[in-house]
Amino acid sequence: MKVALLGCGTVGAEVVRLLHEHERDLTARIGAPLELVGVAVRRAGRTRDLPIDPALFTTDALGLVKRDDVDVVVEVVGGIEPARTWLLEALRGGKSVVTANKALLGEDGATLHKAAAEAGVDLYYEASVAGAIPLLRPLRDSLHGDRITRVTGIVNGTTNFILSSMDATGAGFAEALEEATALGYAEADPTADVEGFDAAAKAAILASMAFHTRVTAADVHREGITEVTAADVASAKAMGCTIKLLCIATKLDDAVSVRVHPAMIPRTHPLAGVGDAFNAVFVEAEAAGQLMFYGRGAGGAPTASAVLGDLVAVSRNRLAGTHAASESAYADLPVRPIGDALTRYHISLDVADKAGVLAAVAGVFAKHGVSIATVNQSGRGNQAVLVIVTHAAADRALAATVAELRALDIVRAVASVLRVEGE
Ligand code: NDP
Ligand code: HSE
């Protein structure tokens, strides 16, 4: 089984190492040896401490992909282009593809799936969501007899590290990000992680698979964690909650809803205990009930583990002259806007401490049809802090309520607005 590897960075180098270290086991499990025939990188002359012939390195990724003798292309470069061009060339040329590229799958998975189906080859991408955690194949295979109703996940390790650190130490966002960068969790440019782009791409992949519907990252409502303050974290603690960046994909009667945003969850929720840079995904299905998948969502070796698992599967398929079922998008459900999502809000207001304030604030909630679950007031001289938690309401109504509260004279500041999930 001849393998072309595109990329030899954090993940690719571990793929090379595992291919070498596990050579005998892999051969036995597949029924044929895996032979690495080329490794495409940006800097072919760079010294790399890897157990392969340096002559295998090339900067000509497209040339490598086009080689007639290649059976499987493994892509661990990332980004939309040129990765899409390489993978389409591979698939159209009859090669099976294994990729960890969530950005590409989240943006344009449909084009890749179509090319794979037309060529009758495999497209596997377990490593693209939640790194080492076996998640996509359970969704695609084990749960195919069931109906998934909701997927709630912590799918970004960097933001989970930052929020866990804020929760543990009381630090603000900037300080926690600095720590994450110093420890190598956050990249030099952390935008994709902290603004939720990475999680949105993964949410699109998960929702597509769970609901048999094409969802792209552009369909996903996305909010990052840059606005989460130490005061928000303290408020969450006071309520017995912690704050997590969640991806939430829900099956509605005739549509799906997919969103990524920070939210308070009760400390008793299975996702609340997921600390450090770990990932976890909570799946709810009609017959199976609640399932939890937990593990390392990033890092060279954990991600390479998922890549190797895919490589074994597609190699076995090729040897057997077969391929896995192609993309299942038959349900073709529309994606509802965030305004339709049913959510609960935790709102903290700085208000004047005088007669009629509570009634005026409550009146705004009533006007928008939002039911209040709890109100807590603490005094500060002639000012007060009102913490209001709502019952579930359409996100649109909650957003309109907050906008109107901001405009009230008696409201000095809307100190924080966070969604509450998991109850
Ligand atoms: P790195 O940046 O560490 O490595 C990228 C590799 O791609 C490098 O070897 C680089 O070459 C090569 N490369 C970049 N541009 C080109 C080009 N134009 N032509 C040929 N080679 C090129 O990335 P990671 O290993 O971290 O990530 C790889 C993929 O895995 C991405 O899709 C990422 O999203 C995904 N992923 C990563 C995880 C992680 O923890 N790192 C976790 C889950 C998924 P050179 O070595 O010469 O610079
Ligand atoms: N940047 C990602 C994270 C890598 O922090 O989870 C894994 O996809």
Side-chain angles (χ1 to χ4, degrees):
M1 202 50 58
K2 291 190 166 42
V3 180
L5 178 64
L6 311 182
C8 194
T10 305
V11 179
E14 287 302 313
V15 169
V16 170
R17 193 181 60 78
L18 290 179
L19 277 173
H20 179 74
E21 274 180 20
H22 299 179
E23 188 181 352
R24 284 180 56 186
D25 287 326
L26 290 168
T27 302
R29 290 171 198 177
I30 292 166
L34 290 173
E35 185 192 346
L36 197 54
V37 297
V39 183
V41 289
R42 223 171 0 194
R43 299 159 294 173
R46 191 176 171 213
T47 308
R48 298 169 204 257
D49 184 20
L50 288 171
I52 49 168
D53 180 355
L56 288 179
F57 287 102
T58 173
T59 52
D60 183 11
L62 193 59
L64 178 59
V65 161
K66 283 182 170 172
R67 270 174 57 166
D68 288 337
D69 59 340
V70 167
D71 294 293
V72 185
V73 171
V74 175
E75 185 264 319
V76 281
V77 170
I80 309 301
E81 286 293 349
R84 174 168 44 199
T85 301
W86 297 335
L87 296 192
L88 286 175
E89 179 67 36
L91 294 165
R92 288 170 185 156
K95 282 110 183 169
S96 298
V97 163
V98 173
T99 176
N101 193 335
K102 64 244 172 173
L104 176 55
L105 283 152
E107 175 158 314
D108 194 14
T111 305
L112 296 180
H113 280 294
K114 185 166 174 281
E118 282 172 0
V121 294
D122 278 327
L123 169 64
Y124 275 46
Y125 45 94
E126 183 66 66
S128 66
V129 183
I133 307 174
L135 175 64
L136 299 188
R137 277 200 262 160
L139 289 182
R140 193 182 71 180
D141 297 330
S142 322
L143 288 165
H144 245 204
D146 207 336
R147 284 195 189 133
I148 296 172
T149 51
R150 192 171 161 102
V151 180
T152 311
I154 296 171
V155 292
N156 184 269
T158 306
T159 48
N160 200 47
F161 179 87
I162 292 171
L163 292 172
S164 301
S165 160
M166 289 171 75
D167 187 77
T169 66
F173 169 76
E175 199 186 327
L177 172 59
E178 219 171 276
E179 187 193 4
T181 309
L183 292 172
Y185 288 112
E187 294 188 26
D189 177 2
T191 311
D193 293 321
V194 300
E195 296 291 0
F197 290 102
D198 177 78
K202 292 166 178 170
I205 296 168
L206 285 175
S208 300
M209 206 165 256
F211 305 135
H212 306 272
T213 283
R214 282 187 184 142
V215 179
T216 68
D219 297 323
V220 179
H221 173 80
R222 175 193 55 77
E223 295 169 30
I225 64 162
T226 54
E227 307 287 314
V228 177
T229 63
D232 291 334
V233 174
S235 284
K237 269 189 175 171
M239 275 181 61
C241 291
T242 186
I243 298 176
K244 295 289 184 192
L245 181 70
L246 297 181
C247 97
I248 303 172
T250 314
K251 166 84 172 54
L252 308 167
D253 284 345
D254 53 359
V256 298
S257 154
V258 194
R259 49 199 164 101
V260 166
H261 54 68
M264 290 185 179
I265 52 170
R267 286 189 185 267
T268 50
H269 190 282
L271 290 175
V274 178
D276 207 60
F278 280 85
N279 283 193
V281 179
F282 190 64
V283 177
E284 293 163 74
E286 278 182 12
Q290 300 178 332
L291 303 160
M292 175 91 161
F293 299 83
Y294 170 85
R296 292 198 181 277
T303 309
S305 164
V307 170
L308 263 286
D310 280 356
L311 186 50
V312 169
V314 305
S315 299
R316 280 182 182 150
N317 285 348
R318 278 186 90 85
L319 278 178
T322 183
H323 58 88
S326 44
E327 178 198 25
S328 173
Y330 72 91
D332 197 21
L333 296 167
V335 182
R336 285 258 181 88
I338 182 69
D340 290 356
L342 282 184
T343 59
R344 298 175 62 210
Y345 271 22
H346 170 284
I347 302 162
S348 180
L349 305 172
D350 292 344
V351 295
D353 194 359
K354 61 181 187 189
V357 167
L358 196 53
V361 167
V364 175
F365 282 83
K367 178 179 164 191
H368 294 283
V370 177
S371 169
I372 293 174
T374 61
V375 182
N376 197 307
Q377 177 174 333
S378 49
R380 265 195 216 151
N382 64 348
Q383 291 183 34
V385 176
L386 270 185
V387 174
I388 297 166
V389 181
T390 72
H391 286 298
D395 199 86
R396 180 179 295 111
L398 285 156
T401 305
V402 172
E404 194 164 333
L405 288 172
R406 282 188 207 280
L408 284 186
D409 285 345
I410 49 160
V411 174
R412 292 179 209 270
V414 177
S416 95
V417 179
L418 274 165
R419 295 187 182 82
V420 183
E421 297 288 340
E423 282 177 332

